[in-house]
Amino acid sequence: MKFFDTHAHIGLIYDDPIEQLRVVLQAKEAGVARIVSINNSLMDFPKVYNTFKSVAGIYHAVGVAPSEVTNPGHDWTSTMEKYLSLPNVVAVGETGLDYYKQFGDKRSQIELFITQLEIAQKHNLPVIIHNRDAGQDVYDILTERMPDSGAILHCYSEDGEFAKKCLDKNIWFSFAGNLTYRNARNLHGTVMNIPVDRILIETESPFMIPAEYRERKRTMPAYLPSTAKFLADMLDMDLEALCDQLWKNSCKAFKLPE
């Protein structure tokens, strides 16, 4: 079996590039053959990209997260578009809206989000979306401005009804380690009511530690199989069959060969 971690902040697990490479090696030993590396800011992207640019199976997203809305960087759109032209960059993100932490103001967050959706459309790339306490605005904006290459609702946090509204759009639902928590009933209800061919999984490393590893300080891409096993049990599916489907879904979402 092989696994695809669709969202990991490798640069936040450890600062040291040697330790970052060790994390990826451990993931590969656990069967995690592909990882999409995520950075919240354009300033952090070059260091992580250069560490992994020659490592097979490591792909990258480029974006400005809501947390960086007050300081996206000088001439950030030009910088972002330059990075999007690099090899193995497969998505715009993460971007989106976060009303829980109240970064900047809502209008500034929305403008930042919309600009990146437009860039994703221009470059024919999917967009990875962060959504916290902003579901209605995220939905309304995607209804009007969805890139042709689709969107990934990463670390899905809404309920099943929200997911049903999104099923007629080119949207993928990515679940992290919090799916394995007993009290995550909204997530459990969601995965039981959406097609399995629209589901992705991620670690959201170093956050969202799966229940199996709750004594650890941080999540690693190597822990992804734990979430996959939990999901297989929930769906009453053979683990290998589910992994094959998740792999196909992930490759399709990021327009990569299987």
Side-chain angles (χ1 to χ4, degrees):
M1 288 181 290
K2 55 186 178 181
F3 303 87
F4 193 135
D5 187 349
T6 61
H7 195 107
H9 297 266
I10 303 175
L12 295 181
I13 302 174
Y14 295 110
D15 291 330
D16 180 23
I18 299 300
E19 291 295 332
Q20 293 172 7
L21 288 165
R22 186 172 291 117
V23 163
V24 169
L25 178 60
Q26 291 170 346
K28 289 181 180 295
E29 291 172 348
V32 182
R34 286 178 174 173
I35 301 171
V36 177
S37 172
I38 309 292
N39 292 279
N40 284 349
S41 79
L42 298 178
M43 285 73 88
D44 296 335
F45 174 79
K47 180 179 178 182
V48 177
Y49 180 83
N50 288 330
T51 297
F52 293 104
K53 64 183 179 181
S54 61
V55 179
I58 304 298
Y59 299 90
H60 303 268
V62 177
V64 181
S67 59
E68 312 303 308
V69 66
T70 60
N71 185 29
H74 175 69
D75 197 16
W76 68 270
T77 55
S78 296
T79 300
M80 184 173 168
E81 295 202 59
K82 178 180 71 174
Y83 292 158
L84 289 173
S85 68
L86 294 171
N88 295 325
V89 172
V90 295
V92 168
E94 66 182 274
T95 181
L97 301 174
D98 192 321
Y99 295 164
Y100 178 79
K101 289 292 185 70
Q102 299 181 346
F103 300 112
D105 57 76
K106 288 185 178 181
R107 180 176 178 179
S108 296
Q109 284 199 33
I110 289 170
E111 289 176 352
L112 183 70
F113 181 28
I114 288 174
T115 299
Q116 291 179 87
L117 292 175
E118 292 170 348
I119 292 173
Q121 176 67 16
K122 178 179 176 181
H123 289 264
N124 193 30
L125 290 171
V127 61
I128 298 170
I129 295 175
H130 173 108
N131 166 29
R132 194 168 186 191
D133 290 356
Q136 189 59 54
D137 280 355
V138 167
Y139 178 83
D140 291 344
I141 290 168
L142 289 179
T143 297
E144 295 183 1
R145 300 174 181 272
M146 170 80 72
D148 291 342
S149 291
I152 297 154
L153 297 178
H154 107 85
C155 196
Y156 187 81
S157 59
E158 297 286 346
D159 59 16
E161 289 304 311
F162 184 90
K164 287 179 182 178
K165 291 198 305 181
C166 296
L167 286 175
D168 65 343
K169 306 182 190 306
N170 187 13
I171 288 178
W172 304 86
F173 307 88
S174 184
F175 296 91
N178 56 337
L179 178 69
T180 68
Y181 303 166
R182 289 183 179 179
N183 63 352
R185 295 181 181 88
N186 63 318
L187 304 184
H188 301 162
T190 300
V191 298
M192 298 300 293
N193 288 286
I194 59 175
V196 70
D197 63 2
R198 300 285 287 277
I199 294 174
L200 312 176
I201 58 172
E202 61 177 89
T203 57
E204 171 71 319
S205 301
F207 315 108
M208 297 296 177
I209 302 173
E212 180 181 353
Y213 298 98
R214 57 186 174 273
E215 76 283 359
R216 308 291 173 87
K217 293 182 178 180
R218 55 178 68 89
T219 307
M220 305 286 187
Y223 300 169
L224 189 66
S226 179
T227 301
K229 291 172 186 175
F230 185 91
L231 180 59
D233 289 342
M234 280 196 65
L235 297 176
D236 194 25
M237 285 185 66
D238 173 75
L239 178 59
E240 186 168 355
L242 175 63
C243 288
D244 286 345
Q245 183 65 60
L246 293 174
W247 181 268
K248 292 176 181 177
N249 296 348
S250 303
C251 293
K252 186 175 181 180
F254 292 106
K255 298 190 291 187
L256 293 170
E258 293 183 19

